Structure formats: structure tokens, C-alpha cells
Amino acid sequence: MKNHLALLLGAALLAGCSPFNTVQLYRDETAFPAFMQDRQDCMSQAHKCVVERYANSSYHGETVQHLLPSRRVYLGCMYQRGYVPSLGGYLPPVLQKMNDYEPGRECFGL
């Protein structure tokens, strides 16, 4: 389990070079439509946490309306659902911009 978490964190760091989530994710016996539903649910969580965290403040001067979903929260959510980074994994047909928030300024204190 720790190996999967290390892979996920490594994938998040590599994806940090891009404003999009380009981490290919895989879970045994999961069809693409199920992946897309899980992705949508996790994207909602990643956006919701940013909205809740910065509702009454800003992040580097940007108001909550201009902030992107948290990549760390998205990947953590997908990991909790059993997905792991894999070169043969799924990528969504349309990539969503995300942000890597600074430690201590991330949603849920991550």
C-alpha cells in the first residue's frame, strides 16, 4: 500500500510540470465509463475543497472564482477508489486544468 502511495505522489510531482492532469490511472476490471464517472466524482471533490478553503480569502491574490481544482485532492480521491498510476492506464478524452497548491495551503491541510 505504501508503494502505491509513493507512486501516486511521484505521479503528482511529475504531472506538476503541466497545468493538466496527465497521469494515466488504472484499476483492475474497470471499464472506461466507470473510470470517467469516478474521475468526475473526484474532480468535483477537488473543486469543492478549493471553493471551501478559499471562499473567504484568496490564493496568491486570486479569488476562488479563478482557482483551479486541486490535483493532489483529485489524485488522492482516485487512489482511495483503487486507481494507481500506470503507463497503460486511462486518460480522459478532455484534460482538465488543475493546480498544485503549496503545502500548508492545500485543501484539507494536505
Side-chain angles (χ1 to χ4, degrees):
M1 187 153 168
K2 285 187 178 184
N3 288 340
H4 290 291
L5 184 56
L7 283 171
L8 187 66
L9 290 174
L13 291 174
L14 290 174
C17 299
S18 167
F20 298 98
N21 174 36
T22 55
V23 178
Q24 292 176 300
L25 298 172
Y26 175 78
R27 181 176 72 183
D28 285 338
E29 301 178 22
T30 301
F32 188 72
F35 163 77
M36 289 301 294
Q37 182 60 54
D38 287 337
R39 179 182 183 278
Q40 181 60 43
D41 293 346
C42 289
M43 284 300 301
S44 293
Q45 281 186 30
H47 180 71
K48 181 180 176 192
C49 76
V50 171
V51 169
E52 289 174 357
R53 168 93 166 143
Y54 294 102
N56 298 315
S57 63
S58 66
Y59 181 80
H60 292 295
E62 291 290 335
T63 60
V64 71
Q65 297 91 327
H66 296 100
L67 296 178
L68 300 171
S70 165
R71 185 186 339 260
R72 228 177 254 125
V73 171
Y74 166 76
L75 290 172
C77 176
M78 293 298 279
Y79 174 73
Q80 288 176 343
R81 292 170 182 244
Y83 290 90
V84 295
S86 172
L87 291 177
Y90 292 125
L91 274 178
V94 176
L95 298 178
Q96 169 96 28
K97 284 187 178 182
M98 295 186 204
N99 192 14
D100 296 312
Y101 292 88
E102 297 166 8
R105 303 217 46 207
E106 181 64 77
C107 307
F108 309 124
L110 296 174

